Amino acid sequence: MIDTVGGGGARRRPYAQRAARALCVWAIAGSCLASGAVESFGSDAPAQPVVLAPRVGVAGSPAKISLEDAIRLALEHNTDVSIARLQREAAAQDVRAAEGAYDLRLMPLFNYQRTVTPSTSALSGGQNGRVEDRRLGGDIRLEGRNPFAGGQFSVDFAATRTESSNNFLRLNPQIPSAFGVNYVQPLFRNLRIDAERRQILLSRRTSDLSDVQLTRVLMDQLSVVEQAYWDLVFARRNLDVLATGLGQARGQVASNERQVREGTLAPIDVVEAQTQVATFEEIIATAQQTLTEAENRLKRLMLANRQASMWNQALEPSDAVDRPVPQLPVDDAVQLALTRRPELRELDVAVQQNDIDRRYFADQARPQADLVASYTLTGLAGTAITTGGGTINTGTNPAVLARLNALSTLAGFDPVVLPPTTTAPLPPFLAGGLNESLANIWNRRFPVAQVQVQVELPIRNRTARANLARADIARRQLDEQREQLQQTIESEVRNALQAVQSTGDRLRSAASAQRSALEQYESERRRFESGLSTVFLVLQRQTTLVTAQAREVRARADLNQAIAVFDRAIGATLTRHGVQLQGVAE
């Protein structure tokens, strides 16, 4: 230290003045950072150029980035946001899958069958002890469900061509066909809601839930991005202040060395300035690590993958304008949060899903009665079997009957009188092929209509009642969770408002402390120039000033981060950044 008291004081005063001017350099440089100015204070100790050690993984010119740029990149590339978007799209596909229960189902069927049956009776119509049948047929069936009342319907058409060796057939080959409509309508259980409609409703609510979850993820990520951006702003400003101070400290070392050579300073003063340089270099190393970590944290939130070129660039914030401090009463802030927070909307969706379950299980506890109605039209046609003379075989030869009656008369018996034949000739609409068979369906010649009621009366139905009771319990749990969540939101909003207020007070206090520290340092420097102080005291005031400046920079970043947290607490993050969700394309 320089002793200015005594006979040598007048000789050393020029050195003291030059030293004091040099010592104030890096403290005053910090106050010039806000305007971007870097000056050389005093001609005796000009600032030395500072080349910082290269940081890991960054080279070339830095990439300028604003907060809105960071928000945009996060929306486009952030993996958490991408995962939430995919979950939203998957939920939309689940809705489509559930609605597929009401898709029409077309079921064609084609078959060929050959059957050989042993014949041991004269009435079986077989030849050589066997009856052979060949069938070639097709069936097409259309099934579907009623999405409103739980009914099920089916429309069926079938046609077959059959050939047989049976001698008793009057049509061979014959072509039967049929057209039928069947409908089953629940009357009690499954009328208002059934398993399929329940699944559709639950899937839609899950899709709504995915939208709310995407909103929550976006709000969380944007809030994190904003805080990471302000951490980067602080780290960059802090490193600039320290680099400026290091340059001035190195200038002071050069000035002291020159004055030692001139004999106006003691060599220990050079050592003291070198110690100051070493201290700055140590702090700068830590500040560089902090800056790299802040950059990588922001890059991880913005970039899509490891191959992004920005990983190899330093990030330089292009706008660091302080956000206006919100002026909102606590009651209004809480009310906004209760209407905007996605967590409450998630709970609302869960309540809606519970209501669907309760409706379904209550319906399943009812008796089941189904009205079943069917209407069928049958068609038939084929090739008529005739005798060799071309007439239909009636089964009795007239010549044989006449001979039998002559013999009966000679023997004294009454003539044989056959009863009227029961075999009527085939109607003409049965003769033909597939067209005639279909015409019989069209003309509704052979209709069959049926209506019946199927009833199922569960004696106890414990499963449905237990499921309903469990759904009621789940509803009470959701009510308790809502009360708990509302209290949590109230606490978060109050804490966020307090953080904004306290950080704002801290910033004002830090700014005031910085101004006071600057005045104290300048006063101490003037005392030193007058010979009333020492270098040690000047350096103490200088350290106090730098500490105050660092606290002000940190408080400013903390205030902007606190405002971002407050926006998240009241659910206004997306609105502030102009982000809106778009519908999912089906």
Side-chain angles (χ1 to χ4, degrees):
M1 297 299 173
I2 304 299
D3 186 6
T4 60
V5 180
R11 183 180 63 84
R12 294 177 180 174
R13 185 164 300 167
Y15 150 69
Q17 294 174 350
R18 290 193 298 269
R21 286 197 300 270
L23 288 172
C24 74
V25 168
W26 62 278
I28 301 177
S31 62
C32 297
L33 180 63
S35 61
V38 178
E39 301 178 0
S40 175
F41 295 93
S43 58
D44 292 338
Q48 298 294 319
V50 176
V51 179
L52 300 178
R55 291 188 290 121
V56 174
V58 294
S61 60
K64 292 184 178 297
I65 186 168
S66 65
L67 177 58
E68 295 307 318
D69 291 336
I71 295 295
R72 177 180 53 81
L73 290 174
L75 291 175
E76 294 175 356
H77 301 138
N78 183 268
T79 53
D80 290 333
V81 175
S82 299
I83 291 172
R85 283 199 184 103
L86 292 175
Q87 291 175 342
R88 185 190 185 203
E89 295 176 4
Q93 297 304 319
D94 289 340
V95 174
R96 294 184 61 191
E99 292 174 344
Y102 293 97
D103 291 345
L104 296 178
R105 296 180 296 278
L106 188 64
M107 296 173 289
L109 173 65
F110 304 96
N111 65 83
Y112 171 78
Q113 181 179 356
R114 178 177 179 269
T115 305
V116 178
T117 305
S119 176
T120 60
S121 171
L123 300 177
S124 64
Q127 298 177 357
N128 301 324
R130 53 186 276 173
V131 176
E132 182 177 349
D133 296 323
R134 289 186 178 89
R135 296 183 180 180
L136 177 63
D139 181 275
I140 184 167
R141 184 181 181 88
L142 181 66
E143 292 183 350
R145 302 180 64 90
N146 183 351
F148 304 105
Q152 304 179 38
F153 65 88
S154 64
V155 180
D156 187 87
F157 172 76
T160 306
R161 186 180 188 278
T162 303
E163 295 182 8
S164 178
S165 62
N166 192 327
N167 293 328
F168 294 139
L169 293 178
R170 302 179 67 186
L171 293 175
N172 193 18
Q174 58 181 342
I175 304 176
S177 59
F179 175 80
V181 177
N182 185 76
Y183 189 84
V184 179
Q185 175 59 54
L187 300 178
F188 293 100
R189 186 193 303 174
N190 297 328
L191 175 62
R192 298 184 178 90
I193 187 172
D194 54 17
E196 289 76 15
R197 282 178 284 176
R198 171 186 178 240
Q199 186 59 45
I200 291 175
L201 294 174
L202 290 177
S203 298
R204 289 174 179 172
R205 298 292 81 75
T206 302
S207 180
D208 296 339
L209 181 62
S210 68
D211 290 343
V212 178
Q213 289 173 339
L214 176 59
T215 301
R216 177 174 54 80
V217 170
L218 287 173
M219 292 177 62
D220 291 340
Q221 291 302 309
L222 296 190
S223 180
V224 171
V225 168
E226 192 167 0
Q227 294 184 61
Y229 184 85
W230 287 110
D231 280 337
L232 176 63
V233 171
F234 165 75
R236 173 65 66 181
R237 284 180 171 178
N238 186 50
L239 184 60
D240 289 343
V241 169
L242 295 175
T244 302
L246 176 60
Q248 298 298 333
R250 287 176 177 175
Q252 185 63 47
V253 170
S255 176
N256 288 0
E257 289 176 344
R258 176 170 47 80
Q259 294 183 64
V260 167
R261 290 193 299 270
E262 294 175 355
T264 58
L265 284 181
I268 193 63
D269 294 319
V270 175
V271 175
E272 188 172 7
Q274 291 174 341
T275 302
Q276 191 82 331
V277 169
T279 301
F280 269 113
E281 291 175 342
E282 178 185 359
I283 298 175
I284 282 178
T286 302
Q288 280 192 302
Q289 179 182 352
T290 302
L291 176 60
T292 299
E293 292 175 353
E295 283 183 348
N296 291 335
R297 188 181 307 114
L298 186 58
K299 290 176 181 178
R300 184 181 62 82
L301 295 171
M302 296 189 309
L303 304 183
N305 49 53
R306 297 186 301 109
Q307 287 71 38
S309 60
M310 195 176 289
W311 277 108
N312 298 320
Q313 290 181 282
L315 298 182
E316 182 176 337
S318 61
D319 60 346
V321 180
D322 294 338
R323 291 187 52 194
V325 178
Q327 303 294 332
L328 196 64
V330 62
D331 293 337
D332 294 344
V334 171
Q335 189 60 37
L336 276 177
L338 293 178
T339 57
R340 291 182 175 181
R341 286 286 290 267
E343 294 89 339
L344 284 173
R345 284 186 283 166
E346 289 182 35
L347 197 59
D348 290 337
V349 174
V351 170
Q352 294 172 6
Q353 290 178 326
N354 177 263
D355 291 338
I356 294 170
D357 285 339
R358 293 169 67 198
R359 283 177 52 201
Y360 174 72
F361 293 132
D363 185 83
Q364 293 301 300
R366 305 173 69 190
Q368 182 172 358
D370 296 336
L371 176 65
V372 182
S374 63
Y375 183 75
T376 305
L377 294 172
T378 303
L380 179 64
T383 303
I385 299 176
T386 61
T387 62
T391 61
I392 297 177
N393 185 9
T394 60
T396 304
N397 194 316
V400 175
L401 180 60
R403 181 61 177 167
L404 179 61
N405 286 337
L407 294 176
S408 298
T409 302
L410 293 176
F413 295 106
D414 295 332
V416 176
V417 180
L418 294 177
T421 179
T422 58
T423 304
L426 289 175
F429 58 77
L430 292 180
L434 179 60
N435 291 337
E436 286 72 17
S437 180
L438 296 179
N440 291 330
I441 292 178
W442 180 259
N443 295 321
R444 299 191 299 276
R445 296 186 186 278
F446 311 107
V448 177
Q450 181 182 7
V451 177
Q452 61 180 352
V453 176
Q454 298 176 350
V455 179
E456 176 186 329
L457 299 176
I459 303 302
R460 300 180 67 183
N461 205 0
R462 289 181 291 177
T463 300
R465 296 183 183 278
N467 288 334
L468 179 58
R470 184 176 181 84
D472 291 336
I473 294 173
R475 178 55 183 272
R476 293 196 295 270
Q477 290 176 334
L478 290 173
D479 292 339
E480 294 293 334
Q481 291 176 10
R482 174 179 292 278
E483 183 64 32
Q484 184 182 35
L485 181 57
Q486 288 177 343
Q487 291 188 21
T488 301
I489 291 175
E490 174 102 15
S491 174
E492 290 179 357
V493 172
R494 290 177 177 270
N495 290 340
L497 267 177
Q498 184 63 54
V500 170
Q501 177 180 332
S502 298
T503 311
D505 294 342
R506 213 177 84 210
L507 176 59
R508 288 187 291 272
S509 299
S512 176
Q514 188 270 344
R515 291 190 297 269
S516 299
L518 178 60
E519 292 178 3
Q520 290 175 342
Y521 169 73
E522 291 176 346
S523 174
E524 197 68 39
R525 180 177 57 82
R526 289 191 296 268
R527 286 169 54 84
F528 177 74
E529 291 175 351
S530 302
L532 301 178
S533 183
T534 63
V535 173
F536 175 76
L537 294 178
V538 172
L539 291 178
Q540 277 191 328
R541 294 298 186 186
Q542 188 180 45
T543 301
T544 301
L545 174 60
V546 172
T547 302
Q549 291 172 338
R551 287 178 177 173
E552 182 184 6
V553 171
R554 181 70 264 180
R556 177 167 282 106
D558 288 345
L559 177 59
N560 286 280
Q561 290 180 331
I563 295 174
V565 173
F566 174 73
D567 286 340
R568 175 63 183 88
I570 64 173
T573 301
L574 299 187
T575 302
R576 195 180 73 81
H577 293 290
V579 178
Q580 294 181 351
L581 294 182
Q582 296 180 350
V584 179
E586 297 185 358

